Amino acid sequence: MSNPAKILTLVISTEIQKLRNTVALWLTLLYPIGSVFLASLFLYAGRENVKPEMVNFINNFNSMLAFFLPFFAVLMVSFLCQVEQRNSMPKHLFALPVPRWALYFGKLAASFLLMGVAWLLLILLVYLSLFILGSFSPRLKLSSSFDHTYLILLLIKTFLSAAALIVIQYLLSLRLRSVVAPIAIGTSLIILPIAILFVLGITGLISNPKMLEWLLRYDPYSYPFAFVFKISQGGEVKSDLFSWALTYWLIVAAVLSVLGYYEWRIRNIK
Amino acid sequence: MEPIDTNLIIETRKLDFAYNHQSVLRQIDLKVPHGSIFGFLGPNGAGKSTTIKALLGLLQVKSGMVYLFGKEFHANRIGLLQRTSAMVESPSLYEHLSATHNLEITQKLRQLSRDRIGVVLELVGLTKDSNKKVKQYSTGMKQRLSLAIALMSEPELLILDEPINGLDPSGIIEIRNLLTRLNKEANCTVFLSSHILDEIEKLCSHVAVINHGNLLFQGDISSFMLKYNQADSVILETGDNVQVSKMLLTDGAILEKDHVRVPFHSKQDIASMIRRINDAGIEIYAVERDRNDLESSFLEILTEGGNS
């Protein structure tokens, strides 16, 4: 077993096999279905007021999925790791003739793979939804002005915004044996900045949410929400696919995943 | 440095391990010969599972060395684990999957032939239940499945931590026979820890005793019995136990609750005792032979280790 690519492929294939009947797999299916369904519902309910511009439709879908993305990522990663922790599997896996790096990066890759599956499903479901909505309302009909590239790039960017979140949640879930603790920490980190914004808004300390957009940028857990805000203010997303904030969080994700591996490599399996 | 003994399949040298600055293993020098069935005995918390985890590289030992098949473990981890299989503590199984799927995961990660799945299921008697989810299994079935996973790779060295826990008597006999067969026919060295002394006595050719992280004894089972076995004793219930205990005092008689215990070395010793009691006109109600076994040797070694 000397070919690293082969080893990693083997580990990822077993990770996929372990997903049968797991919450992580169900979440991967439910998240796209739920977000597209809700976005479609809002779109249909406001069909008389919505500007029949294709870009508005796309932004509408993206806002909904960006809002649920951190919750999905936290739950999916936590439950994916829980498959091992719940069954005391680390000691079995570490006693197999498989390099530790393959076990670590294999599961991390499986987390990103599930994100990829959700992303693909979302794209399919957005098209399906617009096709169905168009048959009910002519204002929502797919037109030739529909920018397919914009849809795909926007979704890629939104998904990449959760990369650092996924890595941090992965490290937390590997470290903590109980599934409740990483979920509680992750959810708190998602909600906290939003709660601060909300309280500041109510108390009148801020009048324009844009003033606090930076707050979202510095919390990887609520960073995907920045897309909801930006789009709601009519911001352009396509032109800055790799904006400084996104690039920064992608680098953080890469660095953390490597540092996490060094910690995992020397960990005692009790 | 002392040369590696190639007759040993497992060798540790001055193995030390501590959890949160609390020493769990102290200077363990374990020597497991090739082809043996090696019983690893010790009470709860003695350090048995910790030793097994250290052997498999699951723990970062503070100091000391681990050698498997005559090679240093950490420098040769993958190659050595290819020749070794292990079952550590409670069965590690994906409970939401079937037995077949559990075995498939090990088969893929070890890159084995898929045919092995059927073979090991047959070996542990789980063929009929192979498609059931593991969460529906009894403790004994889970234990068998864990063993099946360990046997997937036809290992040269099988390390088992409490393998007969949760098994019913017939299951214990089956596993005992299976391990004996593997040892004899496949030349597989078996290293197993257990609390069940009777099983160790029936199964093992060699034994080691650990307590409070200290290795108190290791060697073949006959030398263990010889070293720690005192003479067997006879239990006498008589019409006057006090008088009998006085009469046989020079033989080492001890007056216990409702009987007298007297050690003996030969059958002639027993006949002589009975004759003397009869001659004294004391009635004998019962004579019972109390064979000294592994349990008493084990208790003795623990007491001796604790006192030292």
Side-chain angles (χ1 to χ4, degrees):
Chain A
M1 243 215 253
S2 54
N3 183 344
K6 189 180 175 188
I7 299 166
L8 194 62
T9 313
L10 272 175
V11 175
I12 294 171
S13 78
T14 60
E15 288 299 331
I16 292 165
Q17 191 159 4
K18 291 176 207 168
L19 282 172
R20 286 167 194 256
N21 310 313
T22 58
V23 180
L25 183 64
W26 281 110
L27 281 168
T28 308
L29 302 176
L30 287 175
Y31 160 63
I33 295 170
S35 344
V36 171
F37 177 73
L38 282 176
S40 310
L41 215 62
F42 285 127
L43 208 55
Y44 185 73
R47 64 189 176 283
E48 299 306 328
N49 304 323
V50 74
K51 279 192 216 162
E53 289 171 14
M54 290 293 117
V55 70
N56 283 341
F57 297 172
I58 294 170
N59 288 344
N60 186 297
F61 280 110
N62 192 69
S63 298
M64 189 60 78
L65 72 93
F67 180 77
F68 286 115
L69 179 63
F71 297 100
F72 161 65
V74 163
L75 292 172
M76 184 270 287
V77 174
S78 303
F79 282 111
L80 187 71
C81 294
Q82 184 59 13
V83 170
E84 309 298 340
Q85 305 282 24
R86 191 182 56 205
N87 299 305
S88 316
M89 290 310 290
K91 60 183 185 230
H92 170 68
L93 292 174
F94 276 52
L96 290 174
V98 179
R100 283 194 175 196
W101 68 261
L103 296 171
Y104 172 86
F105 286 107
K107 196 169 262 309
L108 184 60
S111 308
F112 281 100
L113 197 70
L114 283 183
M115 290 294 279
V117 170
W119 178 82
L120 271 175
L121 258 175
L122 273 164
I123 293 198
L124 286 174
L125 288 169
V126 166
Y127 281 110
L128 183 70
S129 166
L130 284 173
F131 178 74
I132 295 169
L133 286 174
S135 64
F136 285 110
S137 166
R139 285 173 67 86
L140 302 176
K141 216 174 180 79
L142 267 176
S143 71
S144 56
S145 68
F146 189 88
D147 190 343
H148 304 283
T149 317
Y150 179 65
L151 171 72
I152 290 168
L153 288 181
L154 183 59
L155 289 184
I156 287 178
K157 183 164 177 166
T158 308
F159 267 73
L160 287 178
S161 72
L165 181 172
I166 289 170
V167 174
I168 297 168
Q169 194 62 24
Y170 181 66
L171 298 177
L172 272 177
S173 305
L174 288 182
R175 174 49 80 183
L176 304 167
R177 284 179 78 92
S178 139
V179 72
V180 180
I183 290 178
I185 295 170
T187 316
S188 306
L189 288 170
I190 296 170
I191 293 170
L192 205 64
I194 297 296
I196 292 171
L197 283 178
F198 190 67
V199 170
L200 292 178
I202 285 176
T203 52
L205 286 171
I206 53 164
S207 52
N208 181 2
K210 200 169 182 174
M211 286 167 67
L212 277 169
E213 202 182 274
W214 63 269
L215 188 63
L216 301 180
R217 284 190 177 158
Y218 291 103
D219 171 23
Y221 279 75
S222 48
Y223 177 51
F225 290 150
F227 293 89
V228 184
F229 280 81
K230 191 161 189 174
I231 287 164
S232 67
Q233 294 149 36
E236 176 61 54
V237 182
K238 185 183 172 182
S239 57
D240 57 346
L241 180 62
F242 287 99
S243 62
W244 72 265
L246 183 59
T247 313
Y248 166 75
W249 283 119
L250 286 175
I251 293 169
V252 168
V255 170
L256 280 180
S257 60
V258 173
L259 290 178
Y261 165 64
Y262 281 101
E263 194 272 333
W264 158 277
R265 203 175 61 138
I266 54 160
R267 185 181 295 180
N268 286 325
I269 307 298
K270 293 175 189 167
Chain B
M1 198 178 86
E2 206 183 313
I4 310 280
D5 185 344
T6 49
N7 291 321
L8 301 176
I9 199 160
I10 299 175
E11 186 180 1
T12 67
R13 291 185 185 173
K14 307 224 175 299
L15 199 62
D16 267 327
F17 182 74
Y19 274 134
N20 301 325
H21 306 293
Q22 197 175 352
S23 188
V24 183
L25 298 181
R26 297 186 186 97
Q27 305 279 300
I28 302 288
D29 289 323
L30 196 61
K31 293 176 195 309
V32 179
H34 265 283
S36 60
I37 301 187
F38 197 99
F40 197 38
L41 287 170
N44 283 340
K48 299 189 297 294
S49 296
T50 308
T51 306
I52 287 177
K53 286 177 186 171
L55 292 179
L56 295 165
L58 302 181
L59 301 175
Q60 306 295 319
V61 291
K62 205 167 80 185
S63 65
M65 304 292 271
V66 174
Y67 299 91
L68 299 186
F69 302 94
K71 288 180 177 167
E72 199 279 315
F73 182 83
H74 288 285
N76 303 280
R77 181 179 167 268
I78 301 290
L80 295 176
L81 288 178
Q82 271 165 349
R83 302 166 72 183
T84 309
S85 267
M87 192 178 111
V88 188
E89 290 176 327
S90 55
S92 298
L93 302 163
Y94 296 104
E95 300 222 344
H96 63 290
L97 300 178
S98 68
T100 309
H101 288 139
N102 268 279
L103 288 162
E104 260 174 23
I105 289 169
T106 302
Q107 174 248 322
K108 278 186 186 166
L109 290 174
R110 280 190 175 270
Q111 299 186 69
L112 305 168
S113 154
R114 214 180 175 284
D115 300 342
R116 286 294 301 160
I117 294 175
V119 174
V120 292
L121 280 170
E122 187 71 42
L123 260 179
V124 299
L126 284 175
T127 310
K128 247 178 27 189
D129 300 299
S130 59
N131 292 322
K132 252 193 206 172
K133 279 186 187 167
V134 172
K135 63 180 164 201
Q136 296 169 325
Y137 276 23
S138 68
T139 313
M141 288 164 86
K142 286 178 188 170
Q143 201 75 4
R144 284 156 185 255
L145 180 56
S146 279
L147 193 59
I149 290 173
L151 297 176
M152 279 286 287
S153 59
E154 301 177 86
E156 292 168 62
L157 171 62
L158 188 58
I159 299 177
L160 306 170
D161 195 2
E162 307 279 359
I164 50 178
N165 266 6
L167 293 177
D168 56 22
S170 65
I172 291 176
I173 295 168
E174 278 174 37
I175 298 298
R176 189 200 304 151
N177 292 341
L178 174 64
L179 294 179
T180 311
R181 212 166 65 231
L182 278 171
N183 178 252
K184 293 227 159 63
E185 292 169 13
N187 197 26
C188 170
T189 306
V190 182
F191 179 89
L192 64 101
S193 74
S194 180
H195 285 107
I196 306 171
L197 300 173
D198 187 40
E199 276 311 309
I200 296 277
E201 197 173 1
K202 284 178 183 147
L203 189 63
C204 297
S205 58
H206 292 71
V207 70
V209 180
I210 188 171
N211 196 21
H212 302 305
N214 296 304
L215 197 63
L216 303 178
F217 175 87
Q218 67 180 320
D220 62 69
I221 200 142
S222 52
S223 65
F224 178 65
M225 302 286 271
L226 205 68
K227 184 171 180 186
Y228 289 96
N229 247 355
Q230 292 167 332
D232 288 351
S233 57
V234 66
I235 294 168
L236 300 164
E237 273 184 58
T238 67
D240 189 348
N241 288 338
V242 178
Q243 185 59 30
V244 169
S245 67
K246 281 179 187 165
M247 204 164 72
L248 302 176
L249 195 64
T250 50
D251 298 276
I254 302 162
L255 178 64
E256 291 180 348
K257 200 179 168 189
D258 52 0
H259 59 256
V260 180
R261 179 187 292 275
V262 196
F264 71 94
H265 296 283
S266 65
K267 288 174 184 171
Q268 286 71 26
D269 288 348
I270 303 174
S272 156
M273 281 177 222
I274 293 170
R275 213 168 28 245
R276 281 147 67 195
I277 297 167
N278 274 333
D279 290 348
I282 300 169
E283 288 179 314
I284 299 171
Y285 304 134
V287 180
E288 192 187 330
R289 186 174 165 163
D290 188 16
R291 195 172 157 268
N292 212 338
D293 54 9
L294 186 64
E295 186 173 323
S296 42
S297 306
F298 176 66
L299 291 173
E300 191 184 340
I301 198 171
L302 290 189
T303 317
E304 194 179 88
N307 293 338
S308 62

